[in-house]
Amino acid sequence: MKPVKLSRTSQTDQNLPEYLPDLSQRLDDTILSSLPHSLIYKHDLFPVYKEGDKLYIAICRIPSVTLIQELSFASGCMVLPVLIPENEFRKAMMLNYGIGVQHDPTYSNTLRQKSDSFGHPASIYSAVKEIDRILDYAIANKVSDIHFEPLNDQFRVRIRRDGFLSTLYSLPMQKHQQIISRLKVMARLDIAEKRSPQDGNIQYATGENAVDIRVSSLPTDTGEKMVLRILDKSEKLLSLDHLGFEEGQIEQIKQVLESPHGLFIVTGPTGSGKTTTLYSALAHLNREDINILTVEDPVEYKMDGITQVRVRPELGFTFAKALRTFLRQDPDIIMIGEIRDRETAAIAIRAALTGHLVLSTLHTNDSVTTIFRLLDMGIEPFLLCSTLRMIIAQRLVRKICPSCIINEENREKNSSRSRNLKFKESTDRGRFRGKGCFECNFSGYSGRTIIAELLPWTDALMDLTISGASLEDLRNYLMEQNIMNLTAHGKMKAYRGITTIEEIHRETGFTI
């Protein structure tokens, strides 16, 4: 059907093409079938035009980010909403589908019962195709984790992208066992075992890319939950210069990495990018004349020229045992995926004392609490002072989408949200956010960056640590030395339009 010009009063998005179908005439069946009927009736919308990989949908209200995501997944297209006056929408629905959604709920419910979330009859449902579709979508959209969760009345699929967890869609509970069994087969897990947690791995190929997927199952009251962590080998490892550190911070880090020995620690909660920072540091250090060994759980990125080992606790091969072996392998640099216990911490300190540069991570909230965590593990203060070179505390915050960034400084000055965050604006600082567009899936964010707090080890810090200074004393020292903390770095990036005040608040809980 040849597109005809759409009334300008019906267009609300500048990204829309000049021509769309005339909604006073019946649309082509190929367009009407672009989305499953179950989604059309459930969400009160319908497809009107397809242009390449873009699908335009008619709707009476502004759709949520979750809805756009669900429609994009179901159609395999970038979904763009076209706001239509309700009277025009109802007439078009009657013309194309023979019924108004609001006028006959019985018909709508019957239609939903005949099809699943994607409009496929239950008789031809395929868990294999379902999972392939989910994985292909996740990899293409840089999803880091997929959650398969059995609830009381539905089987929910959620995804984590840029650190943010959202619902992709839901399936009837009848599909739960088929999906979980298929994932277990792919991960070489025991299908019959449903009472104990299991861990596995999937090698998944999509196009020319090979992707490693870590699989973890967990028995719950409503059935087995499964979480997939996607590790895309095709993603290029970023250098230290491109992670989000400030220029001065990068110079400090590189100076410490050139030390012949000592302990370099990156700290933060799970998902704060600690391992990525360590890999970037190793990439900076990796040369032919340096012997680098790593022990990890598991090995997340394979690096040429570096010996990487995975711990296997079930075989007795722990971090501590691997480190003992490493010391007999003539290492120059050792990377420990995580210091988890006193034994591992003691061997790491010993390695740093005997002429090795040791890189590792800890789970603490900021730099100064890392010192107390190591002391709590039984490390003597004088040993810690002899080996520690730098502590980096970091978080990952979402970046504002460059395609839809706007400055709302004037409009937001007196907003309740700004007052709640006690945000003080000045004439030279903007109030930036992402408006939302199809490039960022209408979230307003695209990608992530680091905010960091660097604590170089100085003589003054050594004296404070040996003298038994309190946590408050150490934090006062940071303030006196004008060391930029997480909140200060975050505010700096928000003022520049890199991220938002809301993101910094979400990650640090700051009060200005």
Side-chain angles (χ1 to χ4, degrees), residues 80-112:
L80 295 172
V82 181
L83 290 184
I84 303 295
E86 187 167 1
N87 61 333
E88 291 185 24
F89 179 88
R90 296 301 166 201
K91 291 177 183 177
M93 279 293 290
M94 180 67 73
L95 176 66
N96 291 287
Y97 295 94
I99 196 71
V101 178
Q102 302 297 329
H103 301 299
D104 193 347
T106 304
Y107 180 83
S108 174
N109 292 335
T110 302
L111 193 149
R112 286 182 209 165

PDB file of all heavy atoms in Angstrom, residues 80-112:
ATOM      1  N   LEU A  80       8.713   3.263  17.346  1.00  0.00           N
ATOM      2  CA  LEU A  80       8.498   4.697  17.515  1.00  0.00           C
ATOM      3  C   LEU A  80       6.995   4.957  17.671  1.00  0.00           C
ATOM      4  O   LEU A  80       6.204   4.558  16.829  1.00  0.00           O
ATOM      5  CB  LEU A  80       9.024   5.465  16.306  1.00  0.00           C
ATOM      6  CG  LEU A  80      10.539   5.396  16.093  1.00  0.00           C
ATOM      7  CD1 LEU A  80      10.906   6.017  14.762  1.00  0.00           C
ATOM      8  CD2 LEU A  80      11.261   6.101  17.211  1.00  0.00           C
ATOM      9  N   PRO A  81       6.590   5.601  18.768  1.00  0.00           N
ATOM     10  CA  PRO A  81       5.164   5.856  18.988  1.00  0.00           C
ATOM     11  C   PRO A  81       4.658   7.078  18.223  1.00  0.00           C
ATOM     12  O   PRO A  81       5.373   8.064  18.059  1.00  0.00           O
ATOM     13  CB  PRO A  81       5.094   6.099  20.499  1.00  0.00           C
ATOM     14  CG  PRO A  81       6.434   6.660  20.838  1.00  0.00           C
ATOM     15  CD  PRO A  81       7.419   6.033  19.889  1.00  0.00           C
ATOM     16  N   VAL A  82       3.438   6.989  17.751  1.00  0.00           N
ATOM     17  CA  VAL A  82       2.742   8.123  17.126  1.00  0.00           C
ATOM     18  C   VAL A  82       1.486   8.364  17.957  1.00  0.00           C
ATOM     19  O   VAL A  82       0.604   7.506  18.020  1.00  0.00           O
ATOM     20  CB  VAL A  82       2.354   7.812  15.664  1.00  0.00           C
ATOM     21  CG1 VAL A  82       1.670   9.015  15.038  1.00  0.00           C
ATOM     22  CG2 VAL A  82       3.565   7.388  14.860  1.00  0.00           C
ATOM     23  N   LEU A  83       1.419   9.499  18.640  1.00  0.00           N
ATOM     24  CA  LEU A  83       0.256   9.786  19.476  1.00  0.00           C
ATOM     25  C   LEU A  83      -0.913  10.191  18.593  1.00  0.00           C
ATOM     26  O   LEU A  83      -0.824  11.130  17.794  1.00  0.00           O
ATOM     27  CB  LEU A  83       0.577  10.903  20.463  1.00  0.00           C
ATOM     28  CG  LEU A  83       1.563  10.535  21.576  1.00  0.00           C
ATOM     29  CD1 LEU A  83       1.718  11.695  22.541  1.00  0.00           C
ATOM     30  CD2 LEU A  83       1.126   9.283  22.319  1.00  0.00           C
ATOM     31  N   ILE A  84      -2.019   9.467  18.734  1.00  0.00           N
ATOM     32  CA  ILE A  84      -3.217   9.673  17.918  1.00  0.00           C
ATOM     33  C   ILE A  84      -4.369  10.102  18.830  1.00  0.00           C
ATOM     34  O   ILE A  84      -4.546   9.528  19.905  1.00  0.00           O
ATOM     35  CB  ILE A  84      -3.603   8.361  17.194  1.00  0.00           C
ATOM     36  CG1 ILE A  84      -2.444   7.858  16.334  1.00  0.00           C
ATOM     37  CG2 ILE A  84      -4.849   8.547  16.349  1.00  0.00           C
ATOM     38  CD1 ILE A  84      -2.082   8.744  15.182  1.00  0.00           C
ATOM     39  N   PRO A  85      -5.162  11.103  18.454  1.00  0.00           N
ATOM     40  CA  PRO A  85      -6.357  11.442  19.232  1.00  0.00           C
ATOM     41  C   PRO A  85      -7.234  10.208  19.422  1.00  0.00           C
ATOM     42  O   PRO A  85      -7.361   9.387  18.517  1.00  0.00           O
ATOM     43  CB  PRO A  85      -7.058  12.499  18.366  1.00  0.00           C
ATOM     44  CG  PRO A  85      -5.947  13.117  17.578  1.00  0.00           C
ATOM     45  CD  PRO A  85      -4.983  11.999  17.300  1.00  0.00           C
ATOM     46  N   GLU A  86      -7.834  10.059  20.595  1.00  0.00           N
ATOM     47  CA  GLU A  86      -8.529   8.819  20.929  1.00  0.00           C
ATOM     48  C   GLU A  86      -9.659   8.500  19.960  1.00  0.00           C
ATOM     49  O   GLU A  86      -9.868   7.334  19.608  1.00  0.00           O
ATOM     50  CB  GLU A  86      -9.079   8.890  22.357  1.00  0.00           C
ATOM     51  CG  GLU A  86      -9.667   7.562  22.804  1.00  0.00           C
ATOM     52  CD  GLU A  86      -9.929   7.509  24.282  1.00  0.00           C
ATOM     53  OE1 GLU A  86      -9.678   8.515  24.977  1.00  0.00           O
ATOM     54  OE2 GLU A  86     -10.404   6.462  24.756  1.00  0.00           O
ATOM     55  N   ASN A  87     -10.389   9.515  19.491  1.00  0.00           N
ATOM     56  CA  ASN A  87     -11.501   9.225  18.574  1.00  0.00           C
ATOM     57  C   ASN A  87     -10.986   8.643  17.257  1.00  0.00           C
ATOM     58  O   ASN A  87     -11.563   7.709  16.697  1.00  0.00           O
ATOM     59  CB  ASN A  87     -12.338  10.487  18.336  1.00  0.00           C
ATOM     60  CG  ASN A  87     -11.529  11.616  17.712  1.00  0.00           C
ATOM     61  OD1 ASN A  87     -10.313  11.687  17.893  1.00  0.00           O
ATOM     62  ND2 ASN A  87     -12.192  12.499  16.988  1.00  0.00           N
ATOM     63  N   GLU A  88      -9.844   9.183  16.748  1.00  0.00           N
ATOM     64  CA  GLU A  88      -9.253   8.634  15.529  1.00  0.00           C
ATOM     65  C   GLU A  88      -8.741   7.211  15.779  1.00  0.00           C
ATOM     66  O   GLU A  88      -8.852   6.316  14.936  1.00  0.00           O
ATOM     67  CB  GLU A  88      -8.106   9.521  15.051  1.00  0.00           C
ATOM     68  CG  GLU A  88      -8.525  10.884  14.532  1.00  0.00           C
ATOM     69  CD  GLU A  88      -7.342  11.649  13.970  1.00  0.00           C
ATOM     70  OE1 GLU A  88      -6.351  11.006  13.568  1.00  0.00           O
ATOM     71  OE2 GLU A  88      -7.399  12.900  13.937  1.00  0.00           O
ATOM     72  N   PHE A  89      -8.141   7.012  16.957  1.00  0.00           N
ATOM     73  CA  PHE A  89      -7.591   5.699  17.299  1.00  0.00           C
ATOM     74  C   PHE A  89      -8.694   4.647  17.319  1.00  0.00           C
ATOM     75  O   PHE A  89      -8.548   3.550  16.768  1.00  0.00           O
ATOM     76  CB  PHE A  89      -6.891   5.777  18.665  1.00  0.00           C
ATOM     77  CG  PHE A  89      -6.308   4.471  19.126  1.00  0.00           C
ATOM     78  CD1 PHE A  89      -5.012   4.108  18.771  1.00  0.00           C
ATOM     79  CD2 PHE A  89      -7.038   3.600  19.919  1.00  0.00           C
ATOM     80  CE1 PHE A  89      -4.467   2.907  19.189  1.00  0.00           C
ATOM     81  CE2 PHE A  89      -6.511   2.396  20.337  1.00  0.00           C
ATOM     82  CZ  PHE A  89      -5.214   2.044  19.972  1.00  0.00           C
ATOM     83  N   ARG A  90      -9.844   4.954  17.959  1.00  0.00           N
ATOM     84  CA  ARG A  90     -10.940   3.979  18.072  1.00  0.00           C
ATOM     85  C   ARG A  90     -11.509   3.625  16.691  1.00  0.00           C
ATOM     86  O   ARG A  90     -11.819   2.472  16.414  1.00  0.00           O
ATOM     87  CB  ARG A  90     -12.050   4.541  18.966  1.00  0.00           C
ATOM     88  CG  ARG A  90     -11.623   4.783  20.391  1.00  0.00           C
ATOM     89  CD  ARG A  90     -11.140   3.531  21.062  1.00  0.00           C
ATOM     90  NE  ARG A  90     -10.432   3.817  22.307  1.00  0.00           N
ATOM     91  CZ  ARG A  90      -9.584   3.004  22.888  1.00  0.00           C
ATOM     92  NH1 ARG A  90      -9.308   1.848  22.328  1.00  0.00           N
ATOM     93  NH2 ARG A  90      -8.996   3.339  24.003  1.00  0.00           N
ATOM     94  N   LYS A  91     -11.623   4.618  15.851  1.00  0.00           N
ATOM     95  CA  LYS A  91     -12.144   4.358  14.503  1.00  0.00           C
ATOM     96  C   LYS A  91     -11.190   3.445  13.725  1.00  0.00           C
ATOM     97  O   LYS A  91     -11.619   2.522  13.034  1.00  0.00           O
ATOM     98  CB  LYS A  91     -12.333   5.676  13.747  1.00  0.00           C
ATOM     99  CG  LYS A  91     -13.456   6.547  14.276  1.00  0.00           C
ATOM    100  CD  LYS A  91     -13.526   7.871  13.513  1.00  0.00           C
ATOM    101  CE  LYS A  91     -14.598   8.779  14.069  1.00  0.00           C
ATOM    102  NZ  LYS A  91     -14.622  10.096  13.365  1.00  0.00           N
ATOM    103  N   ALA A  92      -9.892   3.718  13.853  1.00  0.00           N
ATOM    104  CA  ALA A  92      -8.898   2.899  13.147  1.00  0.00           C
ATOM    105  C   ALA A  92      -8.882   1.480  13.683  1.00  0.00           C
ATOM    106  O   ALA A  92      -8.739   0.510  12.922  1.00  0.00           O
ATOM    107  CB  ALA A  92      -7.521   3.538  13.274  1.00  0.00           C
ATOM    108  N   MET A  93      -9.038   1.309  15.004  1.00  0.00           N
ATOM    109  CA  MET A  93      -9.080  -0.028  15.599  1.00  0.00           C
ATOM    110  C   MET A  93     -10.294  -0.799  15.090  1.00  0.00           C
ATOM    111  O   MET A  93     -10.205  -1.986  14.754  1.00  0.00           O
ATOM    112  CB  MET A  93      -9.122   0.076  17.123  1.00  0.00           C
ATOM    113  CG  MET A  93      -7.774   0.299  17.772  1.00  0.00           C
ATOM    114  SD  MET A  93      -6.640  -1.109  17.606  1.00  0.00           S
ATOM    115  CE  MET A  93      -7.409  -2.298  18.688  1.00  0.00           C
ATOM    116  N   MET A  94     -11.424  -0.130  15.035  1.00  0.00           N
ATOM    117  CA  MET A  94     -12.650  -0.774  14.543  1.00  0.00           C
ATOM    118  C   MET A  94     -12.481  -1.167  13.080  1.00  0.00           C
ATOM    119  O   MET A  94     -12.875  -2.262  12.661  1.00  0.00           O
ATOM    120  CB  MET A  94     -13.830   0.186  14.708  1.00  0.00           C
ATOM    121  CG  MET A  94     -15.159  -0.381  14.224  1.00  0.00           C
ATOM    122  SD  MET A  94     -15.708  -1.768  15.241  1.00  0.00           S
ATOM    123  CE  MET A  94     -16.206  -0.871  16.721  1.00  0.00           C
ATOM    124  N   LEU A  95     -11.862  -0.289  12.286  1.00  0.00           N
ATOM    125  CA  LEU A  95     -11.691  -0.534  10.863  1.00  0.00           C
ATOM    126  C   LEU A  95     -10.744  -1.703  10.604  1.00  0.00           C
ATOM    127  O   LEU A  95     -11.013  -2.559   9.753  1.00  0.00           O
ATOM    128  CB  LEU A  95     -11.170   0.742  10.181  1.00  0.00           C
ATOM    129  CG  LEU A  95     -10.849   0.636   8.691  1.00  0.00           C
ATOM    130  CD1 LEU A  95     -12.120   0.389   7.886  1.00  0.00           C
ATOM    131  CD2 LEU A  95     -10.160   1.916   8.217  1.00  0.00           C
ATOM    132  N   ASN A  96      -9.635  -1.761  11.358  1.00  0.00           N
ATOM    133  CA  ASN A  96      -8.594  -2.742  11.074  1.00  0.00           C
ATOM    134  C   ASN A  96      -8.749  -4.053  11.831  1.00  0.00           C
ATOM    135  O   ASN A  96      -8.336  -5.102  11.351  1.00  0.00           O
ATOM    136  CB  ASN A  96      -7.223  -2.144  11.389  1.00  0.00           C
ATOM    137  CG  ASN A  96      -6.839  -1.041  10.421  1.00  0.00           C
ATOM    138  OD1 ASN A  96      -6.514  -1.304   9.276  1.00  0.00           O
ATOM    139  ND2 ASN A  96      -6.896   0.210  10.878  1.00  0.00           N
ATOM    140  N   TYR A  97      -9.324  -3.982  13.032  1.00  0.00           N
ATOM    141  CA  TYR A  97      -9.424  -5.199  13.852  1.00  0.00           C
ATOM    142  C   TYR A  97     -10.864  -5.600  14.140  1.00  0.00           C
ATOM    143  O   TYR A  97     -11.112  -6.617  14.771  1.00  0.00           O
ATOM    144  CB  TYR A  97      -8.657  -5.004  15.168  1.00  0.00           C
ATOM    145  CG  TYR A  97      -7.169  -4.834  14.945  1.00  0.00           C
ATOM    146  CD1 TYR A  97      -6.613  -3.558  14.825  1.00  0.00           C
ATOM    147  CD2 TYR A  97      -6.329  -5.935  14.826  1.00  0.00           C
ATOM    148  CE1 TYR A  97      -5.256  -3.383  14.606  1.00  0.00           C
ATOM    149  CE2 TYR A  97      -4.979  -5.769  14.604  1.00  0.00           C
ATOM    150  CZ  TYR A  97      -4.442  -4.494  14.493  1.00  0.00           C
ATOM    151  OH  TYR A  97      -3.104  -4.336  14.272  1.00  0.00           O
ATOM    152  N   GLY A  98     -11.804  -4.760  13.701  1.00  0.00           N
ATOM    153  CA  GLY A  98     -13.208  -5.121  13.812  1.00  0.00           C
ATOM    154  C   GLY A  98     -13.776  -4.979  15.195  1.00  0.00           C
ATOM    155  O   GLY A  98     -14.881  -5.424  15.462  1.00  0.00           O
ATOM    156  N   ILE A  99     -13.028  -4.375  16.097  1.00  0.00           N
ATOM    157  CA  ILE A  99     -13.522  -4.250  17.471  1.00  0.00           C
ATOM    158  C   ILE A  99     -12.769  -3.118  18.152  1.00  0.00           C
ATOM    159  O   ILE A  99     -11.633  -2.809  17.808  1.00  0.00           O
ATOM    160  CB  ILE A  99     -13.332  -5.573  18.261  1.00  0.00           C
ATOM    161  CG1 ILE A  99     -14.183  -5.565  19.533  1.00  0.00           C
ATOM    162  CG2 ILE A  99     -11.870  -5.793  18.609  1.00  0.00           C
ATOM    163  CD1 ILE A  99     -15.654  -5.690  19.280  1.00  0.00           C
ATOM    164  N   GLY A 100     -13.372  -2.481  19.109  1.00  0.00           N
ATOM    165  CA  GLY A 100     -12.688  -1.483  19.931  1.00  0.00           C
ATOM    166  C   GLY A 100     -12.233  -2.145  21.210  1.00  0.00           C
ATOM    167  O   GLY A 100     -13.002  -2.861  21.848  1.00  0.00           O
ATOM    168  N   VAL A 101     -11.007  -1.915  21.601  1.00  0.00           N
ATOM    169  CA  VAL A 101     -10.452  -2.589  22.767  1.00  0.00           C
ATOM    170  C   VAL A 101     -11.277  -2.343  24.010  1.00  0.00           C
ATOM    171  O   VAL A 101     -11.562  -3.242  24.778  1.00  0.00           O
ATOM    172  CB  VAL A 101      -8.994  -2.120  23.015  1.00  0.00           C
ATOM    173  CG1 VAL A 101      -8.423  -2.784  24.250  1.00  0.00           C
ATOM    174  CG2 VAL A 101      -8.134  -2.424  21.813  1.00  0.00           C
ATOM    175  N   GLN A 102     -11.690  -1.094  24.208  1.00  0.00           N
ATOM    176  CA  GLN A 102     -12.404  -0.765  25.427  1.00  0.00           C
ATOM    177  C   GLN A 102     -13.872  -1.212  25.379  1.00  0.00           C
ATOM    178  O   GLN A 102     -14.533  -1.253  26.399  1.00  0.00           O
ATOM    179  CB  GLN A 102     -12.363   0.754  25.653  1.00  0.00           C
ATOM    180  CG  GLN A 102     -10.946   1.307  25.750  1.00  0.00           C
ATOM    181  CD  GLN A 102     -10.202   0.747  26.934  1.00  0.00           C
ATOM    182  OE1 GLN A 102     -10.817   0.447  27.948  1.00  0.00           O
ATOM    183  NE2 GLN A 102      -8.903   0.567  26.813  1.00  0.00           N
ATOM    184  N   HIS A 103     -14.362  -1.546  24.182  1.00  0.00           N
ATOM    185  CA  HIS A 103     -15.795  -1.815  24.039  1.00  0.00           C
ATOM    186  C   HIS A 103     -16.152  -3.279  24.228  1.00  0.00           C
ATOM    187  O   HIS A 103     -17.301  -3.605  24.479  1.00  0.00           O
ATOM    188  CB  HIS A 103     -16.281  -1.345  22.664  1.00  0.00           C
ATOM    189  CG  HIS A 103     -16.060   0.119  22.446  1.00  0.00           C
ATOM    190  ND1 HIS A 103     -16.634   1.079  23.238  1.00  0.00           N
ATOM    191  CD2 HIS A 103     -15.299   0.786  21.537  1.00  0.00           C
ATOM    192  CE1 HIS A 103     -16.259   2.281  22.821  1.00  0.00           C
ATOM    193  NE2 HIS A 103     -15.444   2.134  21.803  1.00  0.00           N
ATOM    194  N   ASP A 104     -15.186  -4.177  24.093  1.00  0.00           N
ATOM    195  CA  ASP A 104     -15.504  -5.596  24.191  1.00  0.00           C
ATOM    196  C   ASP A 104     -14.383  -6.344  24.894  1.00  0.00           C
ATOM    197  O   ASP A 104     -13.576  -7.020  24.277  1.00  0.00           O
ATOM    198  CB  ASP A 104     -15.731  -6.190  22.795  1.00  0.00           C
ATOM    199  CG  ASP A 104     -16.368  -7.576  22.889  1.00  0.00           C
ATOM    200  OD1 ASP A 104     -16.388  -8.146  23.994  1.00  0.00           O
ATOM    201  OD2 ASP A 104     -16.839  -8.067  21.848  1.00  0.00           O
ATOM    202  N   PRO A 105     -14.281  -6.231  26.235  1.00  0.00           N
ATOM    203  CA  PRO A 105     -13.211  -6.902  26.961  1.00  0.00           C
ATOM    204  C   PRO A 105     -13.283  -8.412  26.851  1.00  0.00           C
ATOM    205  O   PRO A 105     -12.270  -9.093  26.930  1.00  0.00           O
ATOM    206  CB  PRO A 105     -13.437  -6.437  28.410  1.00  0.00           C
ATOM    207  CG  PRO A 105     -14.865  -6.009  28.471  1.00  0.00           C
ATOM    208  CD  PRO A 105     -15.183  -5.484  27.120  1.00  0.00           C
ATOM    209  N   THR A 106     -14.493  -8.963  26.636  1.00  0.00           N
ATOM    210  CA  THR A 106     -14.626 -10.412  26.512  1.00  0.00           C
ATOM    211  C   THR A 106     -13.848 -10.929  25.312  1.00  0.00           C
ATOM    212  O   THR A 106     -13.106 -11.911  25.393  1.00  0.00           O
ATOM    213  CB  THR A 106     -16.113 -10.801  26.369  1.00  0.00           C
ATOM    214  OG1 THR A 106     -16.823 -10.277  27.476  1.00  0.00           O
ATOM    215  CG2 THR A 106     -16.249 -12.318  26.305  1.00  0.00           C
ATOM    216  N   TYR A 107     -13.995 -10.218  24.179  1.00  0.00           N
ATOM    217  CA  TYR A 107     -13.275 -10.620  22.967  1.00  0.00           C
ATOM    218  C   TYR A 107     -11.763 -10.517  23.185  1.00  0.00           C
ATOM    219  O   TYR A 107     -10.996 -11.383  22.808  1.00  0.00           O
ATOM    220  CB  TYR A 107     -13.688  -9.735  21.797  1.00  0.00           C
ATOM    221  CG  TYR A 107     -12.997 -10.077  20.491  1.00  0.00           C
ATOM    222  CD1 TYR A 107     -13.471 -11.110  19.680  1.00  0.00           C
ATOM    223  CD2 TYR A 107     -11.868  -9.375  20.103  1.00  0.00           C
ATOM    224  CE1 TYR A 107     -12.815 -11.424  18.493  1.00  0.00           C
ATOM    225  CE2 TYR A 107     -11.216  -9.682  18.917  1.00  0.00           C
ATOM    226  CZ  TYR A 107     -11.698 -10.711  18.113  1.00  0.00           C
ATOM    227  OH  TYR A 107     -11.054 -11.019  16.953  1.00  0.00           O
ATOM    228  N   SER A 108     -11.370  -9.414  23.855  1.00  0.00           N
ATOM    229  CA  SER A 108      -9.943  -9.198  24.110  1.00  0.00           C
ATOM    230  C   SER A 108      -9.370 -10.319  24.964  1.00  0.00           C
ATOM    231  O   SER A 108      -8.309 -10.858  24.683  1.00  0.00           O
ATOM    232  CB  SER A 108      -9.732  -7.860  24.811  1.00  0.00           C
ATOM    233  OG  SER A 108      -8.395  -7.686  25.182  1.00  0.00           O
ATOM    234  N   ASN A 109     -10.081 -10.704  26.047  1.00  0.00           N
ATOM    235  CA  ASN A 109      -9.591 -11.769  26.922  1.00  0.00           C
ATOM    236  C   ASN A 109      -9.517 -13.100  26.201  1.00  0.00           C
ATOM    237  O   ASN A 109      -8.577 -13.882  26.384  1.00  0.00           O
ATOM    238  CB  ASN A 109     -10.497 -11.901  28.148  1.00  0.00           C
ATOM    239  CG  ASN A 109     -10.385 -10.692  29.067  1.00  0.00           C
ATOM    240  OD1 ASN A 109      -9.363 -10.023  29.065  1.00  0.00           O
ATOM    241  ND2 ASN A 109     -11.438 -10.420  29.821  1.00  0.00           N
ATOM    242  N   THR A 110     -10.510 -13.366  25.355  1.00  0.00           N
ATOM    243  CA  THR A 110     -10.502 -14.610  24.599  1.00  0.00           C
ATOM    244  C   THR A 110      -9.309 -14.678  23.673  1.00  0.00           C
ATOM    245  O   THR A 110      -8.642 -15.701  23.544  1.00  0.00           O
ATOM    246  CB  THR A 110     -11.804 -14.730  23.765  1.00  0.00           C
ATOM    247  OG1 THR A 110     -12.909 -14.672  24.640  1.00  0.00           O
ATOM    248  CG2 THR A 110     -11.819 -16.034  22.985  1.00  0.00           C
ATOM    249  N   LEU A 111      -9.011 -13.535  23.028  1.00  0.00           N
ATOM    250  CA  LEU A 111      -7.883 -13.491  22.098  1.00  0.00           C
ATOM    251  C   LEU A 111      -6.576 -13.735  22.829  1.00  0.00           C
ATOM    252  O   LEU A 111      -5.708 -14.451  22.362  1.00  0.00           O
ATOM    253  CB  LEU A 111      -7.865 -12.145  21.392  1.00  0.00           C
ATOM    254  CG  LEU A 111      -6.947 -12.013  20.172  1.00  0.00           C
ATOM    255  CD1 LEU A 111      -7.570 -11.031  19.197  1.00  0.00           C
ATOM    256  CD2 LEU A 111      -5.552 -11.585  20.529  1.00  0.00           C
ATOM    257  N   ARG A 112      -6.436 -13.163  24.039  1.00  0.00           N
ATOM    258  CA  ARG A 112      -5.209 -13.348  24.801  1.00  0.00           C
ATOM    259  C   ARG A 112      -5.025 -14.813  25.182  1.00  0.00           C
ATOM    260  O   ARG A 112      -3.924 -15.336  25.206  1.00  0.00           O
ATOM    261  CB  ARG A 112      -5.249 -12.510  26.081  1.00  0.00           C
ATOM    262  CG  ARG A 112      -5.065 -11.035  25.837  1.00  0.00           C
ATOM    263  CD  ARG A 112      -5.057 -10.297  27.144  1.00  0.00           C
ATOM    264  NE  ARG A 112      -5.556  -8.940  26.976  1.00  0.00           N
ATOM    265  CZ  ARG A 112      -5.923  -8.171  27.984  1.00  0.00           C
ATOM    266  NH1 ARG A 112      -5.864  -8.614  29.204  1.00  0.00           N
ATOM    267  NH2 ARG A 112      -6.359  -6.946  27.760  1.00  0.00           N
TER     268      ARG A 112
END
